Amino acid sequence: MSISMYEAAVPTMSHMLGNLSTIVGRAAEHAEARHIDPAALLGARLFPDMFPFVRQVQVATDQAKAGVARLAGIEIPRYPDNETSFEALQARIVRTIAFLDGIEARRFDGSEERRIALPVHDATLETTGRDYLFGRVLPNFYFHVATACAILRHNGVDIGKKDYLGGSE
């Protein structure tokens, strides 16, 4: 039995974005319960040269929406990257899930062999849809979701692997 490109991308990323939404909610609760300025968590980093929490969430959603859009051969939605609150991050996640879930599976037919031209800095990377999804999109997506979780855990938010995976272990 084979798995389609749609199945490998859309349901898995929608699920993880749902988990990320739950984790963002836990961060908001943590900040409120401990009287922490939300900006402290939104701007928190694991290391000075890494993106802050808010940017990790933005990039995770960017990877999801751009990845599936390219594979489905449709326009990539553009978001302004101006979130400054947990509520705004939640709205971005919800908007991204709605976009992913609104793409028909048939749009992915043949995408494993579709040529993807990906702008990377000052060059263009040419790859197949299969290599793009499994070699770039999913690894980058999971990296930024996991890093967002690590930033919050490092800052005392009571989350763990069950939250990251969505209640299973």
Side-chain angles (χ1 to χ4, degrees):
M1 178 179 186
S2 63
I3 185 169
S4 72
M5 294 287 284
Y6 173 86
E7 291 170 318
V10 174
T12 57
M13 287 193 283
S14 288
H15 173 77
M16 288 304 293
L17 287 170
N19 298 348
L20 183 58
S21 178
T22 298
I23 289 164
V24 170
R26 298 275 298 278
E29 292 167 1
H30 176 84
E32 184 176 336
R34 288 170 178 71
H35 307 291
I36 297 170
D37 179 359
L41 292 178
L42 293 166
R45 304 167 187 260
L46 288 178
F47 196 76
D49 68 352
M50 293 180 74
F51 288 145
F53 173 75
V54 69
R55 187 73 184 126
Q56 298 292 344
V57 174
Q58 291 168 340
V59 174
T61 59
D62 288 347
Q63 285 294 313
K65 64 187 174 68
V68 300
R70 285 187 180 106
L71 291 169
I74 61 177
E75 187 174 336
I76 301 168
R78 303 288 179 206
Y79 301 166
D81 295 337
N82 60 359
E83 293 81 13
T84 59
S85 68
F86 293 118
E87 295 80 12
L89 286 177
Q90 291 285 27
R92 183 185 181 106
I93 294 168
V94 167
R95 189 168 58 241
T96 304
I97 293 170
F99 171 72
L100 297 181
D101 292 346
I103 302 173
E104 296 175 337
R106 67 174 180 76
R107 299 294 308 233
F108 291 79
D109 291 350
S111 65
E112 59 275 0
E113 297 304 323
R114 183 174 293 141
R115 298 304 300 173
I116 304 290
L118 181 65
V120 180
H121 304 290
D122 59 349
T124 300
L125 173 69
E126 298 270 339
T127 187
T128 64
R130 178 185 300 110
D131 290 345
Y132 173 62
L133 177 62
F134 293 109
R136 295 194 70 83
V137 175
L138 291 175
N140 276 307
F141 172 75
Y142 284 115
F143 173 84
H144 290 286
V145 172
T147 302
C149 293
I151 289 169
L152 294 178
R153 185 69 192 111
H154 177 74
N155 281 276
V157 178
D158 188 20
I159 57 172
K161 185 165 75 169
K162 284 185 179 182
D163 302 293
Y164 174 80
L165 295 175
S168 63
E169 193 168 356

